[in-house]
Amino acid sequence: MTYAIKECFLTLQGEGVQSGARAVFLRFAGCNLWSGREADRATAQCRFCDTDFVGTDGVNGGKFADAEALADLVERLWGEGPEQRLVVVTGGEPMLQLDAALIDALHRRRFRVAAESNGTLAATPGIDWLCISPKAGTQVVQRSGDELKLVWPQAGIDLAELEGWDFRHLLIQPMDGPEGSVAEAIAVAMDRPRWRLSLQTHKMVGLA
Ligand SMILES: C[S@@+](CC[C@H](N)C(=O)[O-])C[C@H]1O[C@@H](n2cnc3c(N)ncnc32)[C@H](O)[C@@H]1O
Ligand SMILES: Nc1nc2[nH]cc(C(=O)O)c2c(=O)[nH]1
Ligand code: SF4
Ligand SMILES: [Mg+2]
């Protein structure tokens, strides 16, 4: 299978339960909830995205002919040094492309595979840490995983409904943008203690 990769880079996980962890980020191109074009943002199903996932022209981006070539890139970016190998597959929407062949190739190189997904597609089997981030107005089919990370505020999302899904960790993350509100995210954590505040720390410290 050919994989379309926007960018691939070594950084620290900036969000969620594993925030602060050294990780190679593998960003797949393309999403099923927005074209990625600004002209389409206002009418997209997901309208607050902070990411450019269009094309394959980012750092180490490109078309990869097979899983081995892509896993080799991830391993090269991790480097020979420290163990505790972690790759975060994201996008765009990674479940459009992530397959068993790539997960297996990464596992054979001793990587734990974490994924960031909008939950509208069933997660590929074999992921070691699954983070689902629901978008209002969409049908979330993946209602189990390790962490549910909700960008807030989003009108039309019922927190009580999400609390009934099968996730070990509930994170509330301030939306970065004109509709965002740190205060409203803090209020959720104060009113509903199962939800913990997730901040986009990479943006605070100047990491990609
Ligand atoms: C860019 S998305 C890619 C993965 C997947 N498509 C998803 O939405 O979960 C990665 C994470 O960034 C979050 N995110 C996107 N735009 C954001 C924004 N403006 N403010 C805060 N978090 C945002 C998403 O909700 C998701 O948790
Ligand atoms: N450092 C860093 N952490 C992240 N956590 C989730 C991200 C994403 O865009 O999927 C992201 C990202 O883009 N950078
Ligand atoms: S679903 Fe994820 S990648 Fe797609 S537009 Fe929304 S935040 Fe961005
Ligand atoms: Mg990001």
Side-chain angles (χ1 to χ4, degrees):
M1 163 172 172
T2 297
Y3 304 94
I5 303 302
K6 174 68 180 181
E7 58 186 351
C8 192
F9 55 98
L10 179 65
T11 186
L12 300 180
Q13 168 59 279
E15 303 177 14
V17 172
Q18 302 196 95
S19 186
R22 186 185 201 258
V24 173
F25 269 70
L26 178 58
R27 191 181 305 286
F28 284 103
C31 180
N32 59 332
L33 297 184
W34 179 40
S35 68
R37 287 188 299 274
E38 285 305 326
D40 299 334
R41 184 186 288 269
T43 56
Q45 285 183 275
C46 180
R47 293 183 291 281
F48 58 72
C49 190
D50 67 352
T51 300
D52 175 9
F53 52 75
V54 177
T56 57
D57 57 350
V59 171
N60 299 306
K63 294 272 179 76
F64 291 79
D66 57 44
E68 296 305 319
L70 188 47
D72 282 347
L73 169 64
V74 171
E75 186 171 38
R76 178 168 62 80
L77 292 174
W78 179 266
E80 279 314 306
E83 277 308 299
Q84 201 87 4
R85 293 178 161 194
L86 177 63
V87 58
V88 179
V89 295
T90 185
E93 178 45 48
M95 297 313 157
L96 292 167
Q97 298 186 69
L98 181 64
D99 63 2
L102 181 55
I103 291 174
D104 177 55
L106 291 165
H107 279 162
R108 278 187 279 105
R109 290 162 175 79
R110 306 190 314 282
F111 280 89
R112 288 178 69 232
V113 178
E116 303 267 347
S117 172
N118 61 35
T120 61
L121 302 167
T124 312
I127 292 167
D128 301 298
W129 184 273
L130 179 61
C131 173
I132 297 297
S133 190
K135 307 300 182 292
T138 68
Q139 178 67 28
V140 175
V141 299
Q142 184 64 47
R143 297 187 173 192
S144 63
D146 298 283
E147 68 178 292
L148 189 67
K149 184 174 67 181
L150 181 64
V151 175
W152 195 254
Q154 287 191 66
I157 292 249
D158 175 2
L159 292 170
E161 181 193 356
L162 271 55
E163 288 164 357
W165 294 358
D166 180 17
F167 287 91
R168 287 197 288 149
H169 304 276
L170 303 180
L171 284 298
I172 194 88
Q173 180 159 296
M175 183 183 297
D176 180 11
E179 320 272 308
S181 167
V182 175
E184 289 189 53
I186 290 171
V188 169
M190 293 301 251
D191 295 344
R192 308 172 84 108
R194 280 192 63 194
W195 295 89
R196 285 182 286 144
L197 187 66
S198 171
L199 299 175
Q200 295 185 291
T201 56
H202 55 295
K203 296 181 178 177
M204 300 171 188
V205 299
L207 287 174

